[in-house]
Amino acid sequence: MSTLPDPAPDAPSAEAPVAEPGRESLHHAVRNPKLIIGVSLVAILLAVGVIGPVLLGDGNPNEYVGPQAAAPDGTYWMGTTTFGQDVYAQFVHGLRATFLVGVVGGAIAAVIAMLVGFLAGYRGGVTDEILNMLTNVVLVIPALAVLLIINAYMGVRSVAVQGLFIGLTSWPWAARAIRAQTFSLRTREFVDLARLSGSGTWRIVFREIAPNMSSYLFMMFILLFGGSILIASSLDFIGLGPTEGVSLGLMLQSAQQWSALQLGMWWWFVPPGAGITAIVGALYVANVGLDEVFNPKLRES
């Protein structure tokens, strides 16, 4: 996890003009190759996941539409499965489901982490002890085992429900990181001034502390987003994914179940595996690029 960039001086010198932080960050962002490559790859995959299913119509991606076990050609760009299902149709629908579970899981985890981390770090005392104990309890619980049990006993599972449970179990590490950053900011002068002016806890947190951690929070969400995708793919691969629709993890599970590797049907398992790797890898590269943009110490000369 990256550290919060050093804050700017409270009173800049009148002799040396100071560039606007937003404009300076944008200047470095458009010149950072890691950020550009990562964001571009994620944007391309997201566009395929959003536009691809629309272009294919409202058909069922699991429908038997072609010859069985056909290699890629001009008609079926990614070939067909053992049962004659179009791998390309499954891939574009799977991309959409993979992004959806990442957004839902990452957003829920980020919201919980911010509420717990900000409140514990700012209030301290008994509030911090209680929330810290709750965080530690959830942190030591084997999240994957809990998700396995929950998914195994649910009759109907959807992508949104899967993202919900992932978000409810993957927030503790982020909450602890936010708590530590809040501890370092709550003693700053601008927070003391807000407290003296009569502002309440949440007003100070969201108007004074959170804006000074915006870059840190954004990078934290990227990590939670990628983590949700990996957890969902793991659940899908062992057969505990959504019972309706298709995802990249479910494609890998089906390919493994029906011996695609042994049959030499590389077009069945390579696209979903490459898709998951590309999404998570691009998110990581983009996160490293953002760290270099927001942290002057890491910027390349």
Side-chain angles (χ1 to χ4, degrees), residues 7-271:
D10 295 333
S13 172
E15 291 136 4
V18 178
E20 297 180 12
R23 183 175 298 178
E24 181 183 1
S25 297
L26 180 62
H27 170 81
H28 291 285
V30 297
R31 289 165 174 78
N32 188 288
K34 298 184 184 71
L35 181 59
I36 293 175
I37 292 173
V39 171
S40 299
L41 184 53
V42 171
I44 292 172
L45 293 172
L46 179 60
V48 172
V50 172
I51 301 175
V54 176
L55 297 178
L56 291 175
D58 299 327
N60 182 2
N62 292 322
E63 184 180 358
Y64 309 135
V65 295
Q68 298 179 354
D73 56 25
T75 304
Y76 301 102
W77 296 353
M78 292 185 178
T80 62
T81 69
T82 304
F83 307 99
Q85 299 159 312
D86 188 353
V87 175
Y88 175 73
Q90 292 186 341
F91 179 73
V92 296
H93 281 85
L95 275 178
R96 174 185 288 183
T98 299
F99 274 107
L100 178 60
V101 75
V103 169
V104 173
I108 292 174
V111 170
I112 297 175
M114 286 190 290
L115 293 177
V116 173
F118 280 138
L119 188 59
Y122 179 74
R123 296 299 296 269
V126 177
T127 301
D128 177 44
E129 291 181 6
I130 294 174
L131 292 177
N132 197 33
M133 180 181 64
L134 173 63
T135 302
N136 290 333
V137 169
V138 179
L139 191 62
V140 297
I141 293 176
L144 186 57
V146 173
L147 290 170
L148 288 175
I149 296 172
I150 293 174
N151 278 273
Y153 282 93
M154 288 186 63
V156 178
R157 300 183 297 270
S158 65
V159 172
V161 171
Q162 187 182 52
L164 171 64
F165 285 119
I166 291 174
L168 291 176
T169 57
S170 58
W171 56 268
W173 69 266
R176 297 188 69 174
I178 293 174
R179 170 181 173 271
Q181 295 293 334
T182 304
F183 264 128
S184 67
L185 288 175
R186 69 175 184 173
T187 57
R188 300 291 178 89
E189 292 182 0
F190 60 88
V191 175
D192 292 334
L193 290 175
R195 193 180 295 116
L196 291 174
S197 67
S199 299
T201 298
W202 292 113
R203 184 182 180 88
I204 294 175
V205 165
F206 289 110
R207 289 204 173 186
E208 305 295 337
I209 296 178
N212 284 276
M213 294 173 56
S214 57
S215 59
Y216 187 88
L217 296 175
F218 185 64
M219 290 188 290
M220 177 201 69
F221 171 73
I222 292 178
L223 294 178
L224 289 171
F225 178 56
S228 298
I229 291 176
L230 288 177
I231 295 174
S233 299
S234 300
L235 291 173
D236 295 347
F237 185 73
I238 59 178
L240 294 176
T243 53
E244 300 177 355
V246 64
S247 69
L248 298 183
L250 285 176
M251 290 180 65
L252 286 174
Q253 191 267 341
S254 297
Q256 185 273 335
Q257 182 179 3
W258 298 104
S259 304
L261 179 61
Q262 290 80 358
L263 295 174
M265 299 173 60
W266 58 266
W267 57 87
W268 194 353
F269 58 85
V270 168

